[in-house]
Every structure is written in C-alpha cells, then in structure tokens.
Amino acid sequence: MYGQIKYLVVDVDGTMTDGGIYYDDNGNELKKFCTKDAVGYFVSHKVGIKIVVLTGRECPATTKRLTEMKVDYLFQGVTAKNMFLTNFMAENNIKREEIGYIGDDLNDYKPMKLTGFVGCPYDSCEEVKSIADYVSPVKGGYGAVRDIISYLLKQRNEWEDSIKDLFD
C-alpha cells in the first residue's frame, strides 16, 4: 500500500508550523518549525522519496529551514496550488499513485485530490480531514509531518530499517 509514492508534497503554515505568523520589531516574519519533522525528511530521502514543499507564503525563515532540511523542491508564493501541482506532475511525468500530499487547510484540498496519499495534522479543517488517508493525532507544527511520514513508511514496511540505517 502506498508503495509507489516517489514524491511527497508538504505545506508549510499549519502543517510544518503551528499556523501562527510572528513579526519581530523590524517587521521580519518569523516561524517556529518543529525539529521532530526533520527525521521524516531524512527518512524520506533514505527511501528515495523526493520532498516538494509548496506554500502560499514567501518567507526567508522558510527558505533557511528547508534548505537545512535539503528538500528536493521548494516553491513559495504559490497561491494556485491545484494548477501548480497539475503542471508540476505533468512536467515531471508523475502519476497520481506516485505522489502524496501533507497539508491542513482549504488551499490544500483541491491539490490533495490529485494525489495517491493524503495526510493531515490533527487540527486540519474538516474538509481536509474528510479526504485524508491518515489524520495524525499530532497538531501542525508539533511533529505532525514526521508522524505522517512515519505512518506512510510503516505501511510500506520501510520505517524501521530506515531509522536503523540513519541512527545506528
């Protein structure tokens, strides 16, 4: 099950973060990322899944963190996620069963329906939860991405060996 997933699209705000937008005294946007999610990214890479981060906002903090995580693709400022993902899949010859999506809100709903696996944090909107293959018991920004990736890879019987390879 889900063994054909080669790409995993991940939303940022409300999924990798708690959804809050913070500004410092100089007007710089700040975000709080959960360090637990990093294991999900590292294990995904280990099993050959490419991480595609797709977010509607553009923020230097997002660029910095996801560069550290060595994500394969980072697309910011994408307001029409459905159209963008349709084009991305066509340009890269990606089939529905080869791509999964982790997101939390209405702007993720339509593109999620293009994919073969949908995961979402516990505090996602009801519409997203209704189409999710897996609803994490963890809220966005508190390790939900790691939990969802862990679930996906456990379904593929790849989680245990991958974490042993990474951390032994």
Side-chain angles (χ1 to χ4, degrees):
M1 191 160 157
Y2 310 124
Q4 296 181 51
I5 301 287
K6 296 177 184 175
Y7 296 83
L8 197 52
V9 178
V10 185
D11 174 49
V12 174
D13 296 309
T15 303
M16 292 180 3
T17 74
D18 62 8
I21 299 173
Y22 309 92
Y23 296 101
D24 68 12
D25 292 340
N26 298 317
N28 297 310
E29 186 174 328
L30 309 171
K31 294 182 186 282
K32 178 184 76 74
F33 293 93
C34 182
T35 59
K36 294 178 183 179
D37 287 338
V39 170
Y41 294 124
F42 298 148
V43 174
S44 293
H45 285 127
K46 182 82 177 147
V47 301
I49 295 175
K50 294 183 188 293
I51 300 294
V52 181
V53 174
L54 184 59
T55 179
R57 296 184 62 82
E58 199 156 334
C59 178
T62 299
T63 303
K64 180 170 179 45
R65 180 62 178 156
L66 295 172
T67 299
E68 291 173 349
M69 294 298 96
K70 297 179 174 52
V71 299
D72 299 284
Y73 302 93
L74 173 57
F75 301 108
Q76 298 188 70
V78 179
T79 54
K81 289 184 175 184
N82 191 50
M83 183 183 304
F84 183 90
L85 187 56
T86 299
N87 292 336
F88 180 81
M89 291 171 68
E91 289 167 7
N92 292 282
N93 199 27
I94 302 168
K95 299 175 192 152
R96 173 188 176 93
E97 59 271 10
E98 295 176 327
I99 192 163
Y101 199 112
I102 302 173
D104 72 307
D105 213 344
L106 292 173
N107 62 335
D108 300 308
Y109 181 80
K110 281 188 178 180
M112 285 176 157
K113 293 177 100 177
L114 300 172
T115 69
F117 170 79
V118 172
C120 70
Y122 174 78
D123 55 344
S124 298
C125 72
E126 289 303 316
E127 293 85 354
V128 165
K129 286 181 174 181
S130 75
I131 62 167
D133 297 297
Y134 177 68
V135 177
S136 174
V138 181
K139 289 182 177 183
Y142 292 90
V145 172
R146 174 185 175 164
D147 179 66
I148 295 164
I149 292 172
S150 167
Y151 170 83
L152 175 66
L153 296 182
K154 285 176 182 175
Q155 299 305 302
R156 295 163 49 136
N157 295 314
E158 295 178 317
W159 179 255
E160 295 299 325
D161 288 341
S162 297
I163 59 172
K164 283 180 188 172
D165 289 346
L166 281 173
F167 299 107
D168 276 351

